[in-house]
Amino acid sequence: MCGPDTPELAEAAAEGGADLLELGFPFSDPLADGPVIRRAAERALAQGMRTGACLETLAATRARLPETPLVPMTYSSLLEAYGWERFADDARAAGATSLIIVDLPADERADLRRIQLVAPTSTDKRIRLAGERTDGWLYLVTLTGTTGARDGLSPTLAGLVERARTATKLPLYAGFGISTPEQARAAAELADGVVVGTSALEAAERGPAALRDYVKSLRTALDAAAVPA
Amino acid sequence: MLSGTGPESPVPTAASGGGGAGLRPAGADAGQGREGTYGEYGGRFVPETLIPALDELETGWREAKDDDSFRDELDRLGRDYGGRPTPLTLAERFAPGKRLYLKREDLLHTGAHKLNNALGQALLARRLGKQRIVAETGAGQHGVAAATVCARFGFECVVYMGAEDMRRQRPNVERMRLLGAEVRPVEFGTRTLKEATSEAIRDWIATVETTHYLIGSCVGPHPYPEIVRELQAVIGHEAREQILQAEGHLPEVAVACVGGGSNAIGLFAGFLADDVRLVGVEAGGAASLGTGRTAVLHGSRSSVLADEDGQVLDAESISAGLDYPGSGPEHAFLRDSGRAEYATATDDEALAAFRRLARTEGILPALEPAHALARVAELDEEVVLLCLSGRGDKDLEEVLSR
Ligand SMILES: Cc1ncc(COP(=O)(O)O)c(C=O)c1O
């Protein structure tokens, strides 16, 4: 979640071995998020992290990390207010590699280039559509639910990966509900990468060193995972 | 009643599809472009997880609307269970010099218009094979209607309600519990309808395979605004016939309060194609149509109380049912097109109208329609039709404390 410490935290995550970083641009009513990310958004908004400040945070992060892909993750209302094209342009100018808009399914705003999400409930047809329209990689929502840590890896991920493989040749990154190194490793044996939100955010709240260590624990687990067939 | 002879003038719907006498056929284009949109408003701004369920709901709705047995069952329930048609009452002492007709949705079973929508969606949920219903509520009237139909049809029922609303609408919390529903308090953010709606949607995201989301107003992602409007259109269609009978002509103006906008759109639906002025009344501190801007809230693009960054602002109203920063996309469209106008009433004006209706007519209105009542005196027109959307029992504590 964007905040004053984001550039430093991003650097720590990269040092820990993150290949890509999502930066949350907070929204007041984040429907896809569980309590941890929702509360983080509330705090960020209370600190004045509006669209302009988030874009500045993105640019400052880019200045520290010239190579790491950076992806703003947000909700439609921010783009509606800022201007959809203008948001995409300004985010790119500030160093964004792509965008994730959680409440913008593939058939809305087809012209806006972004990373598409698919879920276990998605039909094959929708997975194909998302695969055709996605920007670089496809985000697999591992479970039917909102963001937040879970006890185990979602059993629906395997089927989703299988369906997505027939729909696209692009890399598949799995997210939602992944928090422990064991879960990350199990997910990485199916998908091409894992996305960790809630637990990374909790680690970040304990500071850059804690975040670096946490990411490193995930990195180690992933490097030990068998590469997906 | 849903069947029977209604006006033949077509009314707009968000998408094409047939319909019976109560569920009106699509016809005159209100300017909707793409499926599920009203001009630039509406759409589906929800996580991908929900899209297949919304597609399924849309298909199920189209089939149900065209199915005689669905319409017959809904008509029968509305009549034998709900008490439709609700009467039209001339309120001469409240509005001297005018012919003010109150459409008495307060006399519907459970005490508000919300039952019209809940009954229809319950039949739809049963058709779709769902076992569980999740709903949000503000004033508690929609929660009570949801709990009622769940008891009647044997669904498990979970209602999300803001903690502040649980305090100020306590009788309805108790009613829901007696009806067998689980009421889950929402303790963060505004602790009112906005947050309750978000939590209901989050629940639905996690339970979508077994659960129907029974939304309480003409808001949310497509096809909800259309479904709710069609299920509430019975208000306008009945009132149209009744006032023609009573006055021999149509009203000059039709007035209703607007929270999300469902009782208003239901009333307006009977008169959109006529030369009848349409006025919606919002709470002064929740004037999403009056002072809002285009933003995305709860799955659709509409006129919302939001700041210049698209962050949704808190609404503020004595009336829990109007205390919502959004409004249905069709209302935003009707406002832009000039077909309907939207005014506001303050808390104090609503309270004064509440007291006046009680003393002059012997009717305790809910605080929501009291906002509409507050604007009647200054209307230029003589023949006024007003939707008395609910009764005031739930509000006694709030009114007595002021
Ligand atoms: C009696 C009554 N009227 C009106 C409303 C506002 O809803 P809507 O604008 O959808 O009719 C409510 C909402 O709880 C209500 O209980």
Side-chain angles (χ1 to χ4, degrees), chain B residues 111-114 137-142 193 216-218 257-264 320-322 366 368-369 389-391 394:
Chain B
H113 69 293
K114 299 285 181 185
T137 197
Q141 287 301 137
H142 174 59
L193 181 55
S217 192
C218 52
C257 66
V258 177
S262 68
N263 86 92
L322 304 188
E368 289 79 15
S389 54
R391 68 179 186 223
K394 68 185 176 60

Side-chain angles (χ1 to χ4, degrees), chain B residues 14 18 52 55 77 93 159 200 237 239 311 320 349 355 362 387 389 394:
Chain B
D55 282 338
L77 282 163
R93 273 168 48 79
V159 180
H237 295 140
Q311 306 292 344
E349 288 172 324
R355 296 200 168 96
C387 184
S389 54
K394 68 185 176 60

Side-chain angles (χ1 to χ4, degrees), chain B residues 98-173:
Chain B
K98 290 196 185 296
R99 300 191 62 76
L100 169 66
Y101 286 91
L102 306 176
K103 178 61 175 162
R104 300 290 305 278
E105 295 301 295
D106 61 316
L107 294 179
L108 190 64
H109 179 41
T110 71
H113 69 293
K114 299 285 181 185
L115 186 74
N116 300 322
N117 170 50
L119 278 175
Q121 286 201 47
L123 291 185
L124 201 51
R126 196 184 60 190
R127 253 178 114 92
L128 296 173
K130 306 293 183 184
Q131 296 108 46
R132 180 174 175 270
I133 298 276
V134 58
E136 79 292 336
T137 197
Q141 287 301 137
H142 174 59
V144 167
T148 297
V149 299
C150 287
R152 173 68 179 71
F153 290 96
F155 294 117
E156 182 189 340
C157 183
V158 173
V159 180
Y160 289 88
M161 188 168 189
E164 163 65 10
D165 290 342
M166 288 179 73
R167 180 195 64 74
R168 59 180 164 169
Q169 309 277 237
R170 199 163 40 104
N172 276 344
V173 177

